[in-house]
Amino acid sequence: MAQWIIYALLSSLFAALTAIFAKKGLATIDSGLATAIRTGIVLIVTWLLVFYRGKANETALLSKSNWIYLTLSALATGASWLFYNRALQLGEVSGVAAIDKGSIVFTILLSFIFLGEPLSPKILVGGGLVFAGMLVMVFWK
């Protein structure tokens, strides 16, 4: 099995745990406050990892383009987390997670438009199945 698949599966597992733990943690507090707390903890842990690996000095090697795209990615991540936490407060975890994973469909479309990645039959069918699964999870009573 390719190493990236193992990392992607671990990411998926931790994303699931994130939803479960966040739902419990959001029970009695504002979703914005919860996002700030979670983000602060992630900030501390990731910088500790950067220092542990001895990579902090590599920030000087970043280009203007790196900074722009990483900043845009951070803003998108923050918006995603704010909306995700609010949705978790209001809805069931399974429905929120299903819609959140619908980001795969947006990613396929946006990677085609902005990155020129191909839309093969495999990708179109897989994206369609993800979209259909999302609809079933959310709207089938």
Side-chain angles (χ1 to χ4, degrees):
M1 184 180 300
Q3 193 174 30
W4 71 267
I5 293 174
I6 294 168
Y7 285 123
L9 287 169
L10 288 169
S11 173
S12 182
L13 170 64
F14 283 104
L17 290 172
T18 297
I20 301 302
F21 296 151
K23 179 71 173 179
K24 297 292 275 181
L26 286 162
T28 60
I29 66 170
D30 175 72
S31 60
L33 175 60
T35 303
I37 291 168
R38 291 175 58 203
T39 304
I41 293 168
V42 169
L43 177 71
I44 292 166
V45 170
T46 53
W47 274 109
L48 287 173
L49 181 62
V50 167
F51 283 111
Y52 174 77
R53 291 181 173 175
K55 302 292 184 179
N57 59 342
E58 292 183 16
T59 57
L61 304 175
L62 297 175
S63 69
K64 181 179 179 182
S65 178
N66 292 136
W67 281 108
I68 290 170
Y69 285 112
L70 290 173
T71 299
L72 290 171
S73 175
L75 292 171
T77 298
S80 173
W81 288 359
L82 285 166
F83 289 121
Y84 186 79
N85 282 338
R86 186 65 179 141
L88 279 177
Q89 273 189 323
L90 301 173
E92 292 184 6
V93 173
S94 60
V96 172
I99 293 173
D100 180 62
K101 299 314 173 227
S103 66
I104 294 167
V105 177
F106 288 116
T107 302
I108 290 168
L109 178 63
L110 294 173
S111 68
F112 172 74
I113 293 169
F114 293 108
L115 303 176
E117 292 188 2
L119 290 177
S120 68
K122 175 181 79 169
I123 290 172
L124 291 171
V125 169
L129 289 170
V130 168
F131 184 71
M134 179 186 70
L135 293 176
V136 167
M137 292 284 297
V138 175
F139 296 111
W140 190 349
K141 301 285 181 186

